[in-house]
């Protein structure tokens, strides 16, 4: 089984390609957690997700605890990133209570619009094409049950410090919808944390903290969601916007 978490489609794209090329099934971690069921044991388990602050998204930490007793023979992870995944694979391995047989750091377009302007669509497409080729190699590795690790010493040191910043950054305080909002409700429906509720036709952030996954801000069809003052002048990224088939 391949479990994935994805806000803007990169990790979903990777998980679905892996599923096709390794004859496996891709399942959304949000659905697994919502079902309340413990995942069934499978001989090969893949976990695919984005790196956040050189570490793990909060939802992955929760999922790791849930799945740790259902792991079979071969366990791997593919971590998508805008630049570097640091030691995130080691952090996952610690929570799973076992070594990962294989981990891979896959560069894809950066989606953290709250901090950076996303790259141009042309550059994002170039990234995607490159990632696609890399993924072919990853699929071959998995099919051969290769054993290798993604991390680096430099990544390990940075991860130790930068990952600690994630939790204080997860505040929802600065999210709001501007006048472009058409009341479609998609932001609330897609939020993996149930942090958004539509009230009087407009989204309201009802939790103090969320994943900061950017699904709401990057996938709002009207580009109406902002985070403080910095995002109004920035572009938006999601894989479907640049023609990704995921
Ligand atoms: C909260 C947050 C933190 C991020 N931190 C990092 C990071 O530390 N290093 C990095 O290379 N990319 C970082 N990114 C970029 C994402 O990991 C990357 O764009 C990923 O492929 C998005 O996956 P998705 O489309 O499946 O959601 C971050 C993105 C978010 C939303
Ligand atoms: S997705 Fe955008 S347009 Fe739709 S309700 Fe949310 S903020 Fe409004
Ligand atoms: S509120 Fe937005 S950024 Fe936060 S978890 Fe929900 S979709 Fe992701």
């Amino acid at each position: 089984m391949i479990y994935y978490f994805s806000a803007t489609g990169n990790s979903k794209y990777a998980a679905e390609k892996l599923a096709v090329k390794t004859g496996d099934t891709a399942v959304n971690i949000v659905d697994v957690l919502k079902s309340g069921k413990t995942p069934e044991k499978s001989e090969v388990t893949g976990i695919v997700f984005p790196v956040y602050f050189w570490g793990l998204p909060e939802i992955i930490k929760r999922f790791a605890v849930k799945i740790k007793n259902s792991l079979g023979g071969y366990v791997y992870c593919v971590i998508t990133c805008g630049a570097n995944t640091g030691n995130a694979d080691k952090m996952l391995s610690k929570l799973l209570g076992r070594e990962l047989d294989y981990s891979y750091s896959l560069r894809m377009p950066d989606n953290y619009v709250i901090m950076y302007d996303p790259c141009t669509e042309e550059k994002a497409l170039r990234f995607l094409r490159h990632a696609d080729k890399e993924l072919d190699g990853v699929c071959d590795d998995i099919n051969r049950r290769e054993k290798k690790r993604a991390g680096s010493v430099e990544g390990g040191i940075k991860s130790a410090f930068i990952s600690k910043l994630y939790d204080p950054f997860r505040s929802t305080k600065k999210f709001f919808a501007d006048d472009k909002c058409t009341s479609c409700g998609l932001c609330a429906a897609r939020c993996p944390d149930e942090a958004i509720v539509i009230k009087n036709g407009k989204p309201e952030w009802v939790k103090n903290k969320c994943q900061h996954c950017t699904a709401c801000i990057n996938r709002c069809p009207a580009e109406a969601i902002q985070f403080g003052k910095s995002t109004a002048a920035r572009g938006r990224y999601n894989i479907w916007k640049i023609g990704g088939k995921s």
Side-chain angles (χ1 to χ4, degrees), residues 175 187 190-193 195-196 205 210-217:
F175 278 116
C187 50
R190 286 171 178 158
C191 175
D193 246 359
I196 305 174
W205 281 259
C210 72
Q211 300 298 314
H212 256 225
C213 72
T214 75
C216 56
I217 190 163

Side-chain angles (χ1 to χ4, degrees), residues 88-152:
D89 63 334
K90 241 185 171 173
M91 293 175 178
L92 176 64
S93 155
K94 200 171 170 190
L95 291 178
L96 293 175
R98 60 165 283 166
E99 289 289 318
L100 293 166
D101 294 289
Y102 181 91
S103 61
Y104 196 88
S105 165
L106 184 67
R107 269 190 92 180
M108 296 188 85
D110 198 313
N111 69 352
Y112 204 25
V113 60
I114 285 168
M115 251 183 205
Y116 312 103
D117 205 359
C119 61
T120 61
E121 290 193 13
E122 197 191 341
K123 200 169 171 196
L125 257 177
R126 275 208 304 276
F127 259 117
L128 196 59
R129 275 192 223 111
H130 190 264
D132 213 36
K133 279 196 197 126
E134 276 188 70
L135 262 176
D136 285 331
V138 174
C139 294
D140 291 343
D141 286 348
I142 306 295
N143 282 328
R144 285 195 302 265
R145 306 287 185 263
E146 288 271 348
K147 294 194 182 246
K148 63 180 169 195
R149 247 212 85 204
S152 65

Side-chain angles (χ1 to χ4, degrees), residues 181-199:
C181 173
T182 59
S183 307
C184 70
L186 284 171
C187 50
R190 286 171 178 158
C191 175
D193 246 359
E194 295 175 342
I196 305 174
V197 168
I198 304 292
K199 287 186 190 161

Side-chain angles (χ1 to χ4, degrees), residues 43-47 71-77 96 98-103:
E43 204 34 50
V44 179
T45 305
I47 306 177
L71 299 172
Y74 185 78
V75 181
Y76 71 91
C77 74
L96 293 175
R98 60 165 283 166
E99 289 289 318
L100 293 166
D101 294 289
Y102 181 91
S103 61

